[in-house]
Amino acid sequence: MQATPLTGPAAAPIEAGPLAIELRNVARWYGNVVAVNDVSFGLGPGVTGLLGPNGAGKTTLLHMLAGFLAPSAGEVLVLGRSPHRDPGVYRQIGLVPEREAVYAFLTGLEYVRFNARLQGLRDADGAALDAIRRVGLEDAMDRPIGTYSKGMRQRAKVAGALVHDPQVLLLDEPFNGMDPRQRIAMMDLLGQMAEAGRTILFSSHILEEVERVGTQILVMVAGRLAASGDFHAIRALMTDRPHMITIRSSDDRKLAAALMTNPAVFAVELTPDGCSVQTAQLGAFRRLIAGASRTAGVRITEVFSEDESLEKVFEYLVRR
Amino acid sequence: MASFVAFSEIVGITLRQLMGRRRTVWLLLLAALPVLLAVLFRAAGRTEIDSYSRIVFDTIAITILMPLVAILFGSGAFGAEIDDGTIVYLLAKPVPRWLVVLAKAISVMAVSIALAGGSTALAGAIELGPIGEDGLKAAAAQVLGVVVGSVCYASLFLAVSLFTRRALVIGVGYMLVWEGALSFMLPGIANLSIRQYALGAANAIYPLPVQESRLSSDTAFILAAVLVAVTLALAVWRLMRFELPGGSD
Amino acid sequence: MTAQNLQQMGTTAPLAASSPGGSIYDLGYRHYDGPRRGRSWAMWSLFVESFRSVWGFGRPMTAKAAPFILTGLYALPALFQLAFSSVISQEMTNGSGPQPELLAYHSYFSMFYFLVFFFCVAQAPELVCRDQRYRVLPLYFTRSLGRLEYALARLASLAAALFLVLMVPCVALFIGDILMKPDTFKAIGDELPKALPAFPANGLIALGLAAISLTVSSFSPRRAYSAIALVAYVLLAEAVPAAVFAIGQSSDWSWTDKLFLVMPISSLDGATNWFFGKALQPGRFTGSLTAEEYAIAALISVVLFTTVLLFRYRRVPA
């Protein structure tokens, strides 16, 4: 695998400012199986998506950040301290685990209050009600969690994790089981927390979730950090993969013939949508297309990039 | 103050967890057995410390009821949370681990004592109450034995459940093989037998006419205290190093 | 995307059907038209699979530990006697008197039954609880295997495993007895008739324990609760009748010894004595019941528990 400039031991922090989360050459293995392999990155306030297919090591990474696993090698720091064997750090960490299990016999409010009390909050009842309101669970808060739907359960877990207003919020597959409306509400909530200076890291294998919330992403593949940083920036760095651009014009056939002669163009294909072009150098191509169309006497109506979606980026990184 | 709130919250959750509806019904039926046998004793027109202690207290209350109840609760207090994954909610909190273990242990002991001790007390009152002072003393001794035994079993299997997921089966094996068979064959095991601690502790109040009670009450109390201290310390040690699996990820 | 694009991207599967809107590819799957094996084969397969899983085959080493260690422990006393049989036989030829019979076929189970029972406690819940806990029963029942066949195959596999556990020490005792005699062939002829009742006796014990263990286990999807329910049932079914009998002894409650018939271990033990034609030892058995009555009780309990098991599997939510 080729290292992109942002990965590896020398990785730069994604954002400037104090780092809430820092990993230095972290690895974790179980016997002979390596779950996380030499991962380094730093995170400041904001929402960051942790992406990767199943088995990439996302949960292992989050568990290390939450202090529930010791790294086999390297150093994990949350707010400057190692979270393993240090319960005090949980004052500043909120964790939403992936497993759906909750205390089914508690009502939603009781569950959130349980979290508030164990956090030692002075006004536990008030904080619990507030957290319930933030996730929009007021109507169901007096019902046992056992009767909740998946999405409601997920929201109860989130309420329990943010009841003490932690500096760092870790969420493992938080959008699982939520309907689209709840998803948007949850994403808004995470966005608000990020604006208030909180550091939020959530894992997902569903890309549209990530695309909407955070432009910051970490991509894990087979235990290694495959990419980190701004999503669009990462896309631009992937120079060895041809970009697919579709152009609509007054005369697609003529335009195709004109583009064929250009050395930056790999292939041209006529589709019902227009003229589809593959190129390696996006910047150069954008500059030359205006001149090419002028000389061919074709008027361009629309240029769009087909594979700027995260799905494509992801597919690309995973396949490599 | 904050730690007291956390403590009572964990105790509350644990009690609700342990007293699931269906399970409580079965356990109450189990606990009713000694009481029924005591009633049967009275129906047979017998009020005797000797035979009652042997037939009901020794063979049923302290050999079957007390260990089963304490093993079930002891291994379940953490075991069920680890199985279900709810342990995360408990541990992702700024609560010292010794406090978590203490809260769990106290809940488990309370429930075990309420069930096994309550049953022993009620049965003893029915059968031995009419005998007078000696009878009451014997009944109190039996309850003390069950209390000491429950506390030992509960803390032992609370600790075991943090080391293996099959704590309950190991507990049952301990009860069947170690306490049941080996301690009859090898008398030296008495120093390492919870049943002997319980019988020895009972001797502090009244010398129960139970077969092969081998420890003096002082020795029994000391050994029981050591067992509880060591197992709970092990539980704290283990919980501080508690690791979650990587998950299905 | 059109089919043309897909092909350019490297899809090489031939087209099975195509229209301008979409295509179905022929991935090479074939319909099976040949003969199928029926229920009895499915039952046999489940039996084999269950038998393997009782011993932990096809599972990690940790799953093998409990069954093999318990089998070894149960056979250990007999193996000891086998190992020292040569020493013992020399003593005998030196004329130091008849060898006292320490371990005998008919009383071996009653001495070390707790290990076999612990085998049941550890392994019976493995067989039936996981399927309920992880809700995979429908996967069985939608195949040619029915609910009753499922239950019977599981029962048979546990019984077969237990039979094996029970026979190991008997075989060791048999070999030991033969090696002690100077004339091996004559010894086989003498010993074999004495040992043969071990087959029906251990068969009944295996069936009886399997029926009780599996039936009690099948009522909870959690292994832990099944195990503790099984222990509670068997220990109390042994202890409570004995207690009631002891209470009634000074009164003229003559009926109390009939309660012994519900004792699971003791009735199997009594039945074993009946198979070997031995009288019940007074130290182990009190009351007026005969070995024959225990044998009948054991048989009835096998039938009863199997019936309950089958009823349970008619209703168990799949």
Side-chain angles (χ1 to χ4, degrees):
Chain A
M1 191 201 273
Q2 289 173 11
T4 58
L6 277 173
T7 63
I14 287 177
E15 280 196 8
L19 293 179
I21 293 175
E22 221 178 329
L23 273 78
R24 293 191 195 128
N25 305 98
V26 170
R28 168 76 205 199
W29 50 81
Y30 303 94
N32 289 330
V33 183
V34 179
V36 170
N37 186 357
D38 195 25
V39 169
S40 301
F41 64 84
L43 289 182
V47 182
T48 306
L50 177 60
L51 280 172
N54 290 330
K58 304 187 297 281
T59 297
T60 303
L61 193 76
L62 285 172
H63 282 173
M64 283 195 284
L65 283 168
F68 285 115
L69 277 177
S72 306
E75 198 179 10
V76 176
L77 292 174
V78 176
L79 300 169
R81 38 208 286 218
S82 164
H84 192 57
R85 296 193 206 171
D86 179 9
V89 83
Y90 294 117
R91 262 182 252 286
Q92 300 300 342
I93 296 183
L95 173 67
V96 180
E98 183 186 8
R99 283 182 72 172
E100 229 188 279
V102 270
Y103 299 107
F105 50 86
L106 293 183
T107 67
L109 182 60
E110 281 171 338
Y111 169 71
V112 182
R113 201 160 50 199
F114 161 81
N115 282 282
R117 288 195 178 148
L118 289 198
Q119 284 293 347
L121 299 188
R122 192 161 293 178
D123 180 18
D125 296 13
L129 269 174
D130 195 46
I132 288 270
R133 248 178 245 126
R134 291 182 75 177
V135 298
L137 214 53
E138 300 99 314
D139 295 339
M141 69 182 186
D142 292 322
R143 269 168 44 198
I145 301 184
T147 66
Y148 281 13
S149 70
K150 267 189 176 181
M152 290 160 79
R153 231 173 260 203
Q154 212 48 274
R155 281 186 285 159
K157 281 160 57 181
V158 172
L162 55 75
V163 68
H164 57 301
D165 195 20
Q167 279 296 322
V168 174
L169 190 60
L170 306 169
L171 308 97
D172 201 354
E173 300 282 353
F175 303 109
N176 266 359
M178 288 192 181
D179 66 37
R181 207 168 42 87
Q182 293 167 344
R183 245 179 229 196
I184 291 170
M186 184 59 63
M187 289 169 185
D188 287 347
L189 177 61
L190 296 185
Q192 286 165 23
M193 290 186 69
E195 272 166 37
R198 307 286 178 258
T199 303
I200 295 157
L201 179 64
F202 71 97
S203 76
S204 176
H205 62 279
I206 300 170
L207 297 145
E208 58 182 48
E209 297 176 352
V210 183
E211 236 177 341
R212 206 169 283 172
V213 186
T215 51
Q216 299 292 331
I217 57 167
L218 298 162
V219 185
M220 285 190 76
V221 180
R224 304 180 61 170
L225 198 61
S228 69
D230 182 83
F231 155 64
H232 297 286
I234 291 171
R235 181 64 190 86
L237 285 169
M238 295 191 298
T239 48
D240 59 339
R241 181 177 184 269
H243 294 252
M244 187 89 88
I245 292 164
T246 301
I247 304 164
R248 278 194 194 142
S249 62
S250 53
D251 188 345
D252 291 343
R253 200 164 284 277
K254 214 170 184 179
L255 179 69
L259 290 174
M260 274 296 242
T261 58
N262 196 296
V265 173
F266 285 166
V268 181
E269 190 186 348
L270 285 172
T271 65
D273 283 342
C275 168
S276 174
V277 183
Q278 284 185 37
T279 170
Q281 296 133 295
L282 198 58
F285 179 75
R286 285 206 168 120
R287 281 191 295 279
L288 72 85
I289 187 167
S293 61
R294 213 177 300 118
T295 42
V298 179
R299 193 167 48 85
I300 291 177
T301 53
E302 199 176 350
V303 178
F304 59 93
S305 193
E306 263 184 13
D307 54 355
E308 284 301 292
S309 75
L310 201 45
E311 187 87 46
K312 297 278 178 188
V313 176
F314 195 31
E315 227 170 60
Y316 169 77
L317 286 167
V318 169
R319 269 194 199 147
R320 204 152 58 135
Chain B
M1 180 58 201
S3 59
F4 178 73
V5 171
F7 176 83
S8 54
E9 192 71 25
I10 298 174
V11 170
I13 289 269
T14 307
L15 292 183
R16 289 178 72 173
Q17 219 167 16
L18 295 177
M19 306 295 271
R21 240 175 257 153
R22 246 178 72 186
R23 195 177 359 163
T24 310
V25 172
W26 283 107
L27 286 172
L28 284 176
L29 283 176
L30 193 69
L33 269 177
V35 180
L36 289 176
L37 288 173
V39 169
L40 208 60
F41 248 103
R42 293 290 299 276
R46 299 171 67 178
T47 46
E48 303 154 21
I49 296 177
D50 271 41
S51 50
Y52 172 80
S53 298
R54 259 187 297 109
I55 295 169
V56 179
F57 169 69
D58 187 21
T59 58
I60 293 186
I62 211 154
T63 315
I64 301 176
L65 175 66
M66 179 265 285
L68 277 183
V69 167
I71 290 172
L72 179 67
F73 288 140
S75 63
F78 278 116
E81 294 223 33
I82 294 172
D83 262 5
D84 296 344
T86 52
I87 186 96
V88 181
Y89 306 117
L90 197 58
L91 294 185
K93 298 291 183 300
V95 180
R97 297 312 183 220
W98 61 265
L99 195 72
V100 177
V101 169
L102 194 69
K104 285 279 182 192
I106 294 219
S107 326
V108 169
M109 290 169 188
V111 187
S112 310
I113 289 170
L115 211 63
S119 152
T120 308
L122 188 57
I126 290 171
E127 165 65 14
L128 302 175
I131 295 175
E133 197 187 335
D134 267 7
L136 288 178
K137 267 189 169 174
Q142 294 176 355
V143 174
L144 179 65
V146 169
V147 167
V148 169
S150 301
V151 167
C152 290
Y153 264 109
S155 34
L156 175 60
F157 288 99
L158 195 76
V160 172
S161 72
L162 286 173
F163 286 87
T164 165
R165 298 187 102 172
R166 304 204 67 185
L168 196 137
V169 170
I170 290 174
V172 167
Y174 167 82
M175 178 185 152
L176 281 179
V177 180
W178 189 264
E179 299 275 353
L182 289 184
S183 70
F184 282 89
M185 297 180 191
L186 313 168
I189 282 178
N191 288 322
L192 296 171
S193 157
I194 293 177
R195 183 164 166 276
Q196 290 291 341
Y197 301 168
L199 292 175
N203 282 334
I205 297 183
Y206 186 88
L208 289 175
V210 171
Q211 292 172 318
E212 74 323 288
S213 166
R214 297 198 179 93
L215 298 178
S216 74
S217 58
D218 289 346
T219 321
F221 278 122
I222 291 170
L223 288 175
V226 169
L227 175 77
V228 172
V230 168
T231 51
L232 290 187
L234 270 176
V236 174
W237 180 87
R238 180 70 176 177
L239 200 63
M240 287 199 312
R241 281 152 189 81
F242 182 80
E243 297 209 332
L244 282 174
S248 55
D249 195 7
Chain C
M1 236 182 256
T2 63
Q4 196 189 4
N5 282 356
L6 283 168
Q7 297 218 341
Q8 279 175 349
M9 286 170 68
T11 309
T12 52
L15 281 172
S18 183
S19 75
S23 328
I24 297 171
Y25 301 105
D26 178 7
L27 297 177
Y29 292 115
R30 273 174 219 179
H31 185 64
Y32 180 71
D33 283 325
R36 287 173 188 270
R37 307 205 210 222
R39 291 187 158 209
S40 52
W41 181 265
M43 239 174 116
W44 170 250
S45 305
L46 184 63
F47 170 80
V48 171
E49 188 272 333
S50 311
F51 187 78
R52 283 170 52 87
S53 71
V54 171
W55 295 101
F57 286 117
R59 309 254 318 277
M61 279 309 284
T62 48
K64 296 179 183 71
F68 279 97
I69 289 175
L70 287 171
T71 307
L73 284 178
Y74 182 64
L76 200 62
L79 292 174
F80 257 107
Q81 185 159 312
L82 171 62
F84 294 112
S85 60
S86 59
V87 184
I88 296 168
S89 78
Q90 259 177 0
E91 295 274 306
M92 275 179 74
T93 48
N94 288 347
S96 55
Q99 220 269 306
E101 206 174 43
L102 277 176
L103 302 171
Y105 301 120
H106 72 280
S107 59
Y108 196 89
F109 174 71
S110 76
M111 289 174 84
F112 305 107
Y113 72 88
F114 56 92
L115 290 165
V116 185
F117 176 53
F118 188 38
F119 187 98
C120 296
V121 173
Q123 300 309 108
E126 295 280 332
L127 281 180
V128 286
C129 296
R130 287 168 187 278
D131 289 345
Q132 291 182 44
R133 178 106 202 255
Y134 301 113
R135 298 176 190 280
V136 295
L137 281 176
L139 297 180
Y140 289 104
F141 299 157
T142 50
R143 304 299 190 276
S144 58
L145 196 74
R147 287 162 171 265
L148 302 190
E149 284 91 343
Y150 172 89
L152 287 176
R154 291 288 203 207
L155 179 64
S157 71
L158 183 60
L162 286 171
F163 184 69
L164 210 62
V165 176
L166 292 161
M167 283 309 281
V168 175
C170 288
V171 170
L173 289 181
F174 181 70
I175 295 173
D177 278 346
I178 289 169
L179 293 183
M180 268 196 283
K181 306 280 165 57
D183 181 352
T184 309
F185 289 106
K186 188 176 169 296
I188 291 179
D190 288 348
E191 282 293 320
L192 205 55
K194 283 197 239 165
L196 275 182
F199 283 93
N202 286 338
L204 183 62
I205 296 174
L207 266 180
L209 285 180
I212 292 172
S213 315
L214 221 55
T215 306
V216 175
S217 301
S218 71
F219 279 89
S220 168
R222 280 195 185 236
R223 281 183 298 166
Y225 297 162
S226 291
I228 209 146
L230 182 56
V231 173
Y233 172 73
V234 169
L235 290 189
L236 289 173
E238 283 287 310
V240 170
V244 173
F245 178 74
I247 293 169
Q249 238 175 353
S250 68
S251 318
D252 50 349
W253 293 0
S254 56
W255 51 272
T256 47
D257 64 351
K258 298 285 180 290
L259 287 175
F260 290 174
L261 293 175
V262 307
M263 294 175 148
I265 304 287
S266 297
S267 61
L268 291 171
D269 188 10
T272 305
N273 281 293
W274 181 75
F275 277 114
F276 281 97
K278 301 274 180 183
L280 299 177
Q281 313 100 287
R284 168 100 174 82
F285 294 93
T286 43
S288 59
L289 293 172
T290 62
E292 199 176 8
E293 285 171 309
Y294 278 118
I296 293 169
L299 262 179
I300 291 175
S301 106
V302 170
V303 174
L304 213 65
F305 275 100
T306 309
T307 314
V308 174
L309 180 72
L310 296 184
F311 265 100
R312 166 70 183 157
Y313 270 96
R314 273 176 73 170
R315 275 142 202 276
V316 69

